[in-house]
Amino acid sequence: MAKTTRRTSKATVQAPRVSVAIMAAGKGTRLKSRHPKVLHEVGGKPILAHVIATATKVVPAEDIFVIIGHEADRVRAAVGASGVQFVLQAEQRGTGHALMAAKEALATYDQVIVLSGDAPLITPDSVLKLSTFHSSQNAAMTLLSADLDDPTGYGRVIRKSAKGSEVRAIVEEKAASAKQRKIREINSGFYAFSVPALYGHIGELSTDNAHREYYLTDMAAVFQRARKKVVAMKTPVPAEVLGSNRRSEIVDLDGRMRLAKCHQLMEEGVTIFFPETCVIDSDVEVGADTVIEPFVQLRGTSKIGSDCHIGSYSVINNTEIDDAVAVLPGCIMDDARIAKKATVGPYSRLRPGSDIGEGAHLGNFVETKKLKMGRGSKANHLTYLGDTEIGEGVNVGAGTITCNYDGVHKHKTVIEDGVFVGSDSTLVAPVRVGKGAYIAAASCITEDVPADSLALGRARQTVKEGWARAKRSQK
Ligand code: UD1
Ligand code: CA
């Protein structure tokens, strides 16, 4: 909605230049936290990141101004990659004061949509509707309101009349009379303002209130005195305005967001059993016909293909899984990749840099780190494979350990195609096992093994006939 021209039958009219300001400078005192409120996470990412994602669907990032103050550097670092602009509100003297700080940044726009950095459920559709409703009303200020069953803690909307959309004032909970507190229509903290009207009158705000702050909500009464129009647009989806002043509210928002994510995935063809037990982050993708068992966590930017099966109690973070992969219960994965038709688990742990080939198998209690495993290779039991490259069709026996660390440096193990590593072998890196070679069980391999050879690295067995019988007869 940046500056564009629109042709109508009568004439060429200039579409309003619309900006978004996101208030994110507050401390979040009620959370009793060392960390800024807007960086607390819901749906797997900072609350503010959700609000920014919504805003960028309405206006380009360069027209979005995030007002920061408390721990400004941390907030900027956390969401800077989105390309939005930042405005510093060095001292936080209220939501009205936040908009005072943004005066210069917003001066060239016709309209500003104000969003609250602590209310992440608002949808692009509602923001857009608020903006167009505001323009159509020729109002100085339009606020988004909602009817809440429990309006406690929110500002209440005092309408001019029961029928019309005009608003006389917004009364904060602390200042509200007993009668006003019964009003269930609350101020969401989302507004559209005419920029000239806002900055023509913002100087009339005072700090004559419980917190000695400049309340943006008081602009309703200011405009009322100046005989400028203030209207409310009520959302049909009250839950989308919920904020996060308290820990319990953050947890509630997170639960709503995750359940919505599960329902969205189910709409797209994913089966999720007991969805209320699954934790799926907002940015995760899952292909159709994948089945997710109870108590699964899919985190970060994980991408799961189609026709996969994800077993219970698996925690999968920033991992790419191709189609038809079976993840048996209890697996933990971080920054890993799994090619199609592979089987992993139960109880496999894939650490960063694990890259598992097509149709490969990793079994119980197998830990991998920086492992590149080729097609059809297997490591089915009780194994550690770190800094290792494994070719195709390799069998890694139970209890195999790559000794990749000498206490100072990490070293690489290479196991070429078709190798058979006997159970309980240790491979002391750096070491290479050539194509088609065999390692005898329980070997300690310290030197390269040539292709197609057999390597034995263990003491020869000795047998002392009758030794045990003799021992017992000593009793
Ligand atoms: C505000 C509204 C209230 C509304 C509610 C909806 C005011 C006075 N009250 O109350 O009517 O029902 O939102 O959720 O506005 N912030 C700044 N700078 C500041 C102070 C706050 O940027 O100096 C930011 C905060 O970081 C937060 C947002 O503004 O993201 C809202 O502030 P908050 O303190 O949460 O306001 P509420 O008490 O929830
Ligand atoms: Ca709030």
Side-chain angles (χ1 to χ4, degrees):
M1 289 213 288
K3 200 160 201 151
T4 52
T5 48
R6 218 173 29 199
R7 248 178 216 290
T8 67
S9 52
K10 283 189 189 152
T12 302
V13 289
Q14 212 65 2
R17 264 182 67 85
V18 178
S19 55
V20 172
I22 303 177
M23 300 181 292
K27 182 162 183 263
T29 312
R30 289 160 283 188
L31 292 182
K32 304 195 170 59
S33 175
R34 288 193 293 125
H35 312 292
K37 169 159 72 174
V38 294
L39 294 189
H40 280 255
E41 293 195 351
V42 295
K45 62 182 183 190
I47 296 172
L48 177 59
H50 292 279
V51 182
I52 290 175
T54 296
T56 51
K57 290 191 183 117
V58 181
V59 300
E62 69 258 26
D63 296 324
I64 299 172
F65 299 85
V66 180
I67 303 167
I68 53 175
H70 178 70
E71 297 259 26
D73 291 343
R74 278 183 68 189
V75 178
R76 193 194 294 260
V79 298
S82 59
V84 297
Q85 315 243 28
F86 293 94
V87 169
L88 189 67
Q89 183 197 8
E91 247 188 302
Q92 294 88 54
R93 300 177 61 198
T95 46
H97 186 251
L99 268 292
M100 291 177 191
K103 181 176 177 180
E104 217 171 292
L106 299 176
T108 60
Y109 293 90
D110 302 311
Q111 186 192 115
V112 58
I113 304 167
V114 177
L115 305 179
S116 215
D118 71 342
L121 299 183
I122 188 76
T123 60
D125 189 47
S126 293
V127 176
L128 208 56
K129 279 191 183 131
L130 177 66
S131 171
T132 46
F133 183 77
H134 174 78
S135 303
S136 74
Q137 292 285 311
N138 260 319
M141 171 182 187
T142 303
L143 62 98
L144 185 72
S145 72
D147 283 333
L148 293 189
D149 292 337
D150 179 9
T152 315
Y154 290 90
R156 310 297 205 280
V157 177
I158 315 292
R159 296 221 179 207
K160 274 191 173 173
S161 67
K163 277 183 248 130
S165 58
E166 289 201 44
V167 170
R168 189 194 314 280
I170 301 167
V171 183
E172 290 304 293
E173 165 111 0
K174 281 203 172 139
S177 66
K179 194 173 159 213
Q180 287 169 332
R181 284 186 194 191
K182 290 211 176 81
I183 298 172
R184 286 174 46 235
E185 185 179 17
I186 62 102
N187 166 39
S188 68
F190 302 116
Y191 318 85
F193 286 97
S194 144
V195 170
L198 177 63
Y199 291 110
H201 293 273
I202 201 166
E204 293 160 39
L205 287 178
S206 82
T207 58
D208 184 15
N209 54 53
H211 290 112
R212 301 258 148 245
E213 287 185 347
Y214 294 103
Y215 288 168
L216 188 58
T217 47
D218 285 344
M219 285 309 297
V222 165
F223 285 135
Q224 169 75 17
R225 284 197 292 275
R227 301 189 182 288
K228 293 205 174 290
K229 193 172 174 189
V230 180
V231 294
M233 187 190 96
K234 196 186 285 182
T235 169
V237 195
E240 74 175 346
V241 309
L242 296 176
S244 48
N245 293 341
R246 300 193 147 69
R247 295 273 174 172
S248 56
E249 290 173 328
I250 290 182
V251 172
D252 176 56
L253 290 175
D254 181 70
R256 286 169 188 270
M257 209 171 259
R258 292 187 188 282
L259 207 52
K261 177 74 183 184
C262 284
H263 282 282
Q264 174 217 321
L265 290 174
M266 289 191 273
E267 278 306 305
E268 291 165 13
V270 181
T271 297
I272 306 176
F273 290 113
F274 290 91
E276 58 282 6
T277 67
C278 293
V279 174
I280 304 181
D281 286 356
S282 309
D283 296 339
V284 167
E285 294 171 23
V286 185
D289 284 321
T290 283
V291 175
I292 297 174
E293 293 182 356
F295 295 100
V296 163
Q297 296 199 31
L298 304 177
R299 311 295 303 262
T301 55
S302 294
K303 278 197 182 66
I304 317 287
S306 302
D307 272 315
C308 294
H309 195 101
I310 312 292
S312 291
Y313 306 107
S314 293
V315 181
I316 298 174
N317 188 34
N318 295 336
T319 290
E320 251 179 71
I321 297 181
D322 207 340
D323 298 342
V325 166
V327 176
L328 302 178
C331 293
I332 297 178
M333 304 179 189
D334 270 297
D335 294 298
R337 291 167 67 109
I338 304 177
K340 63 184 171 199
K341 295 183 183 158
T343 300
V344 176
Y347 308 113
S348 302
R349 175 160 184 225
L350 279 62
R351 292 167 51 204
S354 298
D355 184 351
I356 311 305
E358 185 179 331
H361 283 214
L362 289 183
N364 6 217
F365 306 107
V366 172
E367 176 182 346
T368 67
K369 188 214 79 178
K370 280 196 192 158
L371 164 69
K372 183 153 177 47
M373 185 180 232
R375 198 185 322 177
S377 289
K378 295 177 181 171
N380 273 329
H381 328 269
L382 301 159
T383 288
Y384 173 62
L385 298 168
D387 301 301
T388 297
E389 210 178 294
I390 294 180
E392 297 183 4
V394 168
N395 188 86
V396 177
T400 298
I401 306 280
T402 53
C403 308
N404 59 327
Y405 185 47
D406 61 13
V408 183
H409 298 107
K410 301 278 170 70
H411 302 282
K412 194 165 168 185
T413 300
V414 179
I415 304 174
E416 295 181 357
D417 295 348
V419 165
F420 180 95
V421 180
S423 296
D424 192 29
S425 294
T426 49
L427 303 162
V428 181
V431 72
R432 172 181 287 268
V433 183
K435 214 167 168 174
Y438 261 65
I439 308 283
S443 288
C444 176
I445 300 298
T446 55
E447 287 163 30
D448 287 358
V449 177
D452 294 321
S453 59
L454 167 69
L456 292 119
R458 65 192 187 207
R460 183 168 276 284
Q461 179 175 326
T462 57
V463 174
K464 299 184 176 174
E465 288 276 2
W467 183 94
R469 198 183 320 112
K471 175 98 179 159
R472 280 193 297 273
S473 67
Q474 283 170 8
K475 276 199 255 176

